[in-house]
């Protein structure tokens, strides 16, 4: 993986976090809190999983096991 793709994926992860909050906020306008959380949770979990993967890749790069190109 090259560095520009890594940065793009990091920006996508933060975009997913932002989207999660937008979905939760707009859903709260028309539905109860539990429904809003249920709709936004999968987006937030996807962002968290992406960030965990990126942290693992960054750790591998720092330790020299797998370099980013």
């Amino acid at each position: 993986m090259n560095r520009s793709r890594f940065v793009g994926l990091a920006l996508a992860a933060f975009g997913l976090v932002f989207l999660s909050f937008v979905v939760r906020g707009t859903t709260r306008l028309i539905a109860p809190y539990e429904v809003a959380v249920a709709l936004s949770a999968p987006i937030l979990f996807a962002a968290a999983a992406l960030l965990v993967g990126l942290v693992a890749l960054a750790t591998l790069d720092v330790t020299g096991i797998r370099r980013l190109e």
Side-chain angles (χ1 to χ4, degrees), residues 8-53:
L9 287 173
L11 291 175
F14 286 113
L16 284 172
V17 170
F18 180 73
L19 179 65
S20 169
F21 285 113
V22 169
V23 167
R24 183 180 292 192
T26 55
T27 306
R28 286 280 315 267
L29 295 173
I30 58 174
Y33 177 75
E34 292 81 15
V35 174
V37 170
L39 289 177
S40 69
I43 301 169
L44 190 59
F45 286 140
L50 184 55
L51 285 172
V52 166

Side-chain angles (χ1 to χ4, degrees), residues 1-14 50 54 68:
M1 173 184 299
N2 59 15
R3 292 186 187 271
S4 63
R5 181 165 169 84
F6 183 86
V7 171
L9 287 173
L11 291 175
F14 286 113
L50 184 55
L54 290 173
L68 292 176

